[in-house]
Amino acid sequence: MCGIFAYNWNENSIPFLVEGLTNLEYRGYDSAGVFGITKNGKIFLEKATWKVSNLAWKVELNDKNYKSGIAHTRWATHGGVTELNTHPHFSTNERFFIVHNGIIENYAYLKEELIKKWHKFYSETDTEVVAKLVEYMFEKDLITTISKVTKKLVWAYALWIIDVENPDVLIGTKFGSPMIMWVADDACFLSSDINALSNHCHEFFTLEDNEIVVLENWKHKIFNLWKEVNREWEEMSQEFATAEKWKFETFTEKEINEAPDVLLNALKGRINFEEKTITSETLTELNELDIEQIEIVASGSSYFAWVTASYWFKELAWMPCDVRISSEFLYDTFLPNKKTLYVFISQSGETADVRESVKIVKEKGCLTFWLVNVVGSTVAKMCDFGLYTHSGIEIWVASTKNVIGQLSVLLLMALSFGSKRNLQIKEVRKIIWEIEELSSLMKIQLENTKNIRKVAEKYSKYNDFFFLWRNLLFWTAEECALKLKELTYLHAECYATWELKHWPLALVWPGFPCVALNLKWVLEYKTASNIKEVRARNTTVLWIITKGLDNSELYDDIIEVPETSRILVPFTPMIPMWLLSVEIAKILWKDVDKPQNLAKSVTVE
Ligand code: F6R
């Protein structure tokens, strides 16, 4: 949430900052701003509301003399979407310019104190308070001042500051929010994540909390409690170098189309595909530990992936499995258990409430495991063990292909735990064989989308939807409804079909269609009779059904999915349902890649 990009360079241009922001736009697209300074102290400040492209055309003709620059793309937290609330913010004397990612929780108190000292505020943001505080507390030099200012802040922050009176220097510091850095022969760059830099660099390092980085004439120094420290370089993985849309209209469609490869990528090196056996060293190591149960912490789509996994852990490995929403886990009573494996799942590996949940569990000395996509992200670094999903870069907001990657790894974990307990080796082999097959089935689903477009035309005319599920399809229904809501802003709710009679049926009428998931091996006959009750009330039914299961009198429209074994059914509705949401969103003229009010990486609590 919120993306920051900055450079300290021999000479470069403001449009270069905008390019960095464009790569980070999925972190927030409410407004964007840039600040640059020449070696003689001439400054440039420009801001624009909404998309980065609005800023791009404002700065297009700018020349190339700006030695240091800071830039910000905003996901609004304090105050509305206005140019005044857009970063960079500045002090009353217009000497200190600042960009910030995070939330200063005690900003209202600090603001009140500063107002008493005659500071005037032009914005509603917490960031402006920091700019004014730097001015108020300034003494001697900026490093001393910043280390004092940050002691007053109740986190979280990644802050980058330029002092107009010292244009050679750019200073950054962080606590709780991400900050990464790349150094070249004649330039230093800072960014919220590696995607801003993916076209330019192959190695980077991440700053730790409380460190202060000083960039001066494109040389860098990092201090922790006044001691200079060295950071280890991390290799930029190849998968971050291809942030292109290729032939697709939207990134979301491109990413959905990558799902079959993601499924197999997540298993590569962890399975011997010839022998159909599990070879992952991490999973072998896990199996040697005394783990009796699993507790899973995640949010959004990652949370729903875990709900499915909890069925697998129970069915395949006979292991109790509890799933928790990370934001609630933080404020619930934590009952540490040394025989529980605490698993944290996150595409970005930066989600604030997941990150904070890891801290709570680690403090009690319990075993932590990560399942993350972004290599080198904070959650991955914090936990004891983990696995990457290797889904490749997921640029825009809705998580799609990575969900498939998460499910693949989770299924592998369940199989691995199961094979140590009472799951037969031949059953493990059969499921591994089927997972490989599933990738081909998904490819076929991606090629046959004509019917989806037709269905989308009809269903784009409704405002409300019920998604109906049973048993193992619970998460799948929730995930499909989530994507519909997220991309189209239409209302959708999920219910177990049997639950309908307890009250949701009161809402059913012909203008409130039901999307019924009815797949072979998941109580399909019971679901069919529940749907009869819905049809008896003249409701429109879109039937998501296993090919070959004939219930033609029960539906108005149909999307068929391929038959799989029971364990794999949660995968099959996702591709057509995600594509259906994309199509409806396009018909309704919604921006598929940038749903309103959202951002990709939720780095603030
Ligand atoms: C939904 C979506 C979000 C994320 C959630 C968690 O399409 O993208 O719900 O799943 O914000 O993000 P990560 O997985 O990065 O922790």
Side-chain angles (χ1 to χ4, degrees):
M1 248 157 195
C2 294
I4 341 188
F5 183 55
Y7 71 69
N8 178 255
W9 203 339
N10 186 0
E11 269 191 9
N12 217 290
S13 61
I14 297 294
F16 180 78
L17 284 176
V18 177
E19 185 191 322
L21 281 192
T22 307
N23 291 338
L24 293 177
E25 199 176 8
Y26 53 83
R27 299 182 67 98
Y29 30 85
D30 287 332
S31 62
V34 284
F35 171 84
I37 188 158
T38 65
K39 51 179 172 275
N40 304 323
K42 189 182 126 206
I43 67 165
F44 176 87
L45 178 67
E46 193 58 84
K47 302 178 178 188
T49 49
W50 305 118
K51 297 186 179 156
V52 175
S53 53
N54 293 351
L55 178 69
W57 69 258
K58 277 187 168 182
V59 304
E60 209 175 31
L61 299 174
N62 221 277
D63 59 14
K64 282 193 158 213
N65 291 318
Y66 297 94
K67 185 168 184 172
S68 285
I70 50 180
H72 187 274
T73 178
R74 180 171 184 245
W75 184 82
T77 56
H78 297 64
V81 178
T82 62
E83 276 196 22
L84 277 182
N85 286 332
T86 302
H87 300 221
H89 287 290
F90 46 87
S91 56
T92 309
N93 59 5
E94 298 187 18
R95 176 172 169 186
F96 303 104
F97 285 77
I98 190 163
V99 286
H100 165 222
N101 171 22
I103 285 184
I104 308 299
E105 291 186 357
N106 60 337
Y107 90 103
Y109 165 77
L110 295 170
K111 189 169 180 172
E112 221 171 90
E113 294 296 299
L114 286 161
I115 288 170
K116 283 187 205 150
K117 311 283 180 209
W118 311 111
H119 282 275
K120 292 218 172 356
F121 286 81
Y122 57 83
S123 79
E124 302 155 272
T125 64
D126 49 347
T127 309
E128 192 191 347
V129 173
V130 184
K132 306 260 141 107
L133 202 58
V134 170
E135 176 183 345
Y136 175 64
M137 293 182 71
F138 187 79
E139 56 181 63
K140 287 198 305 208
D141 63 274
L142 195 53
I143 309 180
T144 319
T145 307
I146 286 170
S147 55
K148 286 190 176 159
V149 164
T150 49
K151 286 199 182 76
K152 294 215 168 271
L153 307 179
V154 177
W155 67 306
Y157 54 81
L159 293 167
W160 301 335
I161 306 168
I162 291 179
D163 174 359
V164 170
E165 292 189 7
N166 195 0
D168 291 340
V169 180
L170 167 62
I171 294 189
T173 187
K174 62 149 266 171
F175 191 93
S177 295
M179 187 187 285
I180 71 140
M181 187 166 160
W182 168 53
V183 183
D185 289 345
D186 62 348
C188 295
F189 301 91
L190 289 165
S191 170
S192 300
D193 67 47
I194 50 181
N195 293 325
L197 306 172
S198 62
N199 297 333
H200 299 274
C201 74
H202 302 288
E203 282 184 323
F204 66 98
F205 53 80
T206 27
L207 275 294
E208 302 286 338
D209 281 351
N210 293 319
E211 286 180 345
I212 295 182
V213 54
V214 182
L215 309 183
E216 186 166 5
N217 294 326
W218 50 97
K219 300 277 172 296
H220 74 279
K221 282 190 175 158
I222 302 171
F223 297 97
N224 196 336
L225 297 173
W226 298 107
K227 265 207 209 118
E228 198 171 337
V229 285
N230 278 321
R231 279 274 145 266
E232 299 237 325
W233 289 102
E234 294 169 46
E235 190 79 23
M236 174 99 70
S237 65
Q238 198 51 36
E239 56 201 29
F240 287 97
T242 55
E244 301 285 341
K245 248 191 260 174
W246 305 121
K247 63 177 182 182
F248 299 98
E249 229 178 281
T250 63
F251 277 110
T252 310
E253 285 163 284
K254 178 202 165 207
E255 289 167 4
I256 294 172
N257 275 271
E258 287 168 354
D261 293 336
V262 165
L263 179 93
L264 296 182
N265 257 357
L267 305 176
K268 260 190 209 143
R270 295 166 181 166
I271 277 185
N272 180 331
F273 284 105
E274 295 276 296
E275 292 174 15
K276 316 262 176 276
T277 49
I278 301 170
T279 54
S280 159
E281 280 171 24
T282 308
L283 293 180
T284 311
E285 228 177 300
L286 266 189
N287 256 336
E288 277 157 18
L289 301 172
D290 187 12
I291 298 168
E292 285 178 356
Q293 60 179 27
I294 294 192
E295 193 158 325
I296 294 156
V297 184
S299 48
S301 285
S302 297
Y303 169 77
F304 292 138
W306 274 119
V307 178
T308 294
S310 72
Y311 284 88
W312 289 335
F313 281 114
K314 283 182 269 185
E315 281 191 33
L316 297 171
W318 290 66
M319 281 180 96
C321 181
D322 194 8
V323 189
R324 313 281 296 278
I325 294 179
S326 46
S327 52
E328 284 306 302
F329 180 85
L330 280 181
Y331 299 99
D332 204 353
T333 309
F334 177 51
L335 304 172
N337 183 338
K338 293 282 156 66
K339 293 196 171 181
T340 297
L341 177 69
Y342 294 88
V343 184
F344 300 86
I345 180 163
S346 172
Q347 188 286 130
S348 59
E350 299 296 344
T351 300
D353 38 18
V354 179
R355 205 179 57 208
E356 291 312 299
S357 303
V358 181
K359 271 191 202 158
I360 291 177
V361 176
K362 281 202 77 110
E363 269 162 23
K364 298 288 179 202
C366 298
L367 202 58
T368 53
F369 189 92
W370 49 270
L371 179 56
V372 159
N373 186 36
V374 177
V375 177
S377 52
T378 308
V379 170
K381 286 188 175 155
M382 289 169 85
C383 294
D384 303 313
F385 293 78
L387 290 171
Y388 285 114
T389 49
H390 293 306
S391 308
I393 183 169
E394 203 181 61
I395 289 248
W396 287 105
V397 173
S399 197
T400 53
K401 62 172 179 170
N402 183 60
V403 172
I404 302 288
Q406 288 172 341
L407 286 176
S408 314
V409 179
L410 290 168
L411 182 53
L412 195 63
M413 281 176 83
L415 289 174
S416 169
F417 279 122
S419 53
K420 191 191 167 188
R421 291 169 172 77
N422 48 5
L423 190 66
Q424 303 273 321
I425 188 75
K426 71 171 195 287
E427 183 62 11
V428 174
R429 287 207 169 113
K430 180 173 156 282
I431 295 174
I432 290 177
W433 181 82
E434 283 173 349
I435 301 174
E436 271 187 276
E437 283 296 291
L438 186 62
S439 170
S440 316
L441 294 177
M442 282 180 171
K443 282 189 180 139
I444 298 170
Q445 285 185 303
L446 286 163
E447 280 157 16
N448 296 313
T449 53
K450 239 203 231 144
N451 176 40
I452 290 174
R453 262 181 240 124
K454 203 176 97 221
V455 172
E457 281 291 340
K458 173 169 173 185
Y459 286 83
S460 62
K461 299 193 172 64
Y462 294 100
N463 290 319
D464 304 288
F465 296 83
F466 269 145
F467 277 67
L468 304 176
W469 57 272
R470 290 303 302 270
N471 192 252
L472 195 61
L473 289 167
F474 167 40
W475 164 78
T476 307
E478 287 281 3
E479 165 56 30
C480 295
L482 179 156
K483 285 291 159 332
L484 183 77
K485 289 180 269 198
E486 187 178 23
L487 300 184
T488 68
Y489 323 146
L490 299 174
H491 166 231
E493 282 183 52
C494 290
Y495 287 97
T497 44
W498 217 337
E499 183 70 9
L500 281 176
K501 284 177 287 221
H502 293 292
W503 81 263
L505 216 46
L507 291 176
V508 161
W509 68 289
F512 199 142
C514 292
V515 180
L517 268 60
N518 192 19
L519 303 194
K520 194 164 173 192
W521 313 118
V522 190
L523 303 172
E524 61 271 33
Y525 299 108
K526 285 189 187 300
T527 306
S529 57
N530 293 144
I531 297 305
K532 275 191 187 132
E533 293 153 8
V534 176
R535 290 278 290 161
R537 273 116 194 124
N538 292 328
T539 302
T540 312
V541 173
L542 170 59
W543 195 248
I544 315 301
I545 193 166
T546 309
K547 200 169 178 162
L549 267 190
D550 184 29
N551 278 295
S552 42
E553 85 281 14
L554 290 183
Y555 58 80
D556 298 278
D557 300 283
I558 185 167
I559 292 178
E560 287 182 326
V561 301
E563 182 178 340
T564 61
S565 67
R566 172 177 158 78
I567 288 301
L568 297 185
V569 286
F571 285 93
T572 54
M574 278 186 292
I575 287 194
M577 292 309 287
W578 287 340
L579 291 175
L580 181 70
S581 298
V582 168
E583 287 304 323
I584 295 179
K586 284 194 206 163
I587 292 167
L588 299 176
W589 293 98
K590 308 295 182 214
D591 187 336
V592 174
D593 288 336
K594 298 175 205 163
Q596 66 182 14
N597 307 330
L598 298 178
K600 182 71 179 166
S601 197
V602 185
T603 52
V604 291
E605 220 190 303

